[in-house]
Amino acid sequence: MTGKPLVAYFSASGVTAGVANRLAQAADADLYEIRPEAPYTSADLDWRNPRSRSSVEMNDLSSRPALADQDANIAEYDTIFLGFPIWWGVAPTIINTFLERYDFSGKKIVLFATSGGSGFGRTAEVLKASVSPDTVIVTGRLLPGNASEASLKQWVQTL
């Protein structure tokens, strides 16, 4: 990696936020939280309810939840670690919103995710459509919520 990386993350319940914070320490990276304009409630996150906000968004992959802000200084970074929970086998659609709001041309995006049971699936492929063709997206790691800073540092050193 050249230059200081950025860890950008979306966390609905706090699990991904914890991992992102430890990853930023391990990678000596800056940290940026991707926040929705309307925060998710526990009812919004009820995947068993087909009318919950998350279910509605994930059943329409063209959905683009609004961001609370658009002040990430992406131009400063060559490498961005992008973290999120896995919802319905892919990244939440707010990640597409984030990718489509900034210019990631020539940048390397390393994905990391937390999940209650699913893998990355087609996540990288789905996200690639939201960035310029010269953006490199790497499927990084599915990380447990309790990933230690030491294990994250080991992973970062392999990149």
Side-chain angles (χ1 to χ4, degrees), residues 52-118:
S52 74
R53 178 176 162 197
S54 60
S55 295
V56 169
E57 289 173 2
M58 297 311 293
N59 281 319
D60 175 9
L61 293 181
S62 67
S63 167
R64 295 296 183 264
L67 299 171
D69 56 61
Q70 296 179 37
D71 59 0
N73 194 356
I74 298 302
E76 284 185 27
Y77 306 96
D78 293 326
T79 302
I80 296 101
F81 289 92
L82 181 58
F84 44 83
I86 295 289
W87 288 2
W88 289 261
V90 294
T93 56
I94 193 168
I95 298 301
N96 297 86
T97 305
F98 175 74
L99 292 173
E100 291 166 6
R101 292 296 183 263
Y102 297 98
D103 181 7
F104 289 91
S105 297
K107 303 207 180 284
K108 179 179 181 180
I109 299 173
V110 180
L111 305 177
F112 70 95
T114 56
S115 173
S118 26

